[in-house]
Amino acid sequence: MNAKRAVAAAQLLLMFPAILFMGALVARQVSPLQHEPAHTAGRIIMWYAARMWTLWALLVTLPLAVLVTGCVTLLRSWSNVPELHRTRQGLAAMYADRPDAMRCYDDVDGGVVLAIVAMQYGR
């Protein structure tokens, strides 16, 4: 059980820089740049943009690592528990175990961040 919690916490920490950047993008659009929180959000975005390594490391590599480790651990737990093979009971069993639910949310977050970054670079 402690290993599940450690993986969930590590995934959450790995996703934090990407979530901070995506949140700053949204906050910058809420109000004019001279007012808060758009001013602070603009500074965060400019910090990321000024360092090229942040875009690749924090917005691509870390969410990809979260997505891969989450899928691997989910598949391992899926094969070990026979109740998870039925959809409705499987979802209830996953939500009963909070670290598994957190890993699922982190997997979805990682996939969404990767999709947003891919769409942005695809322009």
Side-chain angles (χ1 to χ4, degrees):
M1 183 61 97
N2 288 334
K4 286 183 180 182
R5 289 184 181 183
V7 169
Q11 285 182 333
L12 192 61
L13 287 175
L14 289 174
M15 283 303 298
F16 179 73
I19 292 171
L20 176 69
F21 181 74
M22 296 297 169
L25 288 174
V26 171
R28 188 178 70 169
Q29 299 298 322
V30 171
S31 64
L33 279 176
Q34 63 266 23
H35 300 297
E36 289 297 330
H39 178 70
T40 304
R43 292 181 59 110
I44 291 171
I45 292 168
M46 292 311 294
W47 185 88
Y48 274 77
R51 293 154 184 83
M52 196 59 178
W53 67 269
T54 59
L55 295 176
W56 288 105
L58 301 179
L59 297 180
V60 175
T61 307
L62 293 181
L64 185 62
V66 167
L67 187 64
V68 169
T69 58
C71 288
V72 167
T73 55
L74 186 63
L75 287 175
R76 279 185 25 185
S77 67
W78 188 279
S79 64
N80 291 339
V81 181
E83 299 92 37
L84 290 178
H85 293 290
R86 288 185 223 104
T87 306
R88 181 174 283 176
Q89 292 173 345
L91 291 175
M94 274 196 313
Y95 283 113
D97 190 12
R98 291 188 191 263
D100 280 342
M102 182 58 77
R103 280 198 322 248
C104 289
Y105 293 138
D106 288 339
D107 291 346
V108 170
D109 288 344
V112 167
V113 167
L114 286 173
I116 291 171
V117 170
M119 286 189 312
Q120 190 64 26
Y121 281 119
R123 285 187 186 184

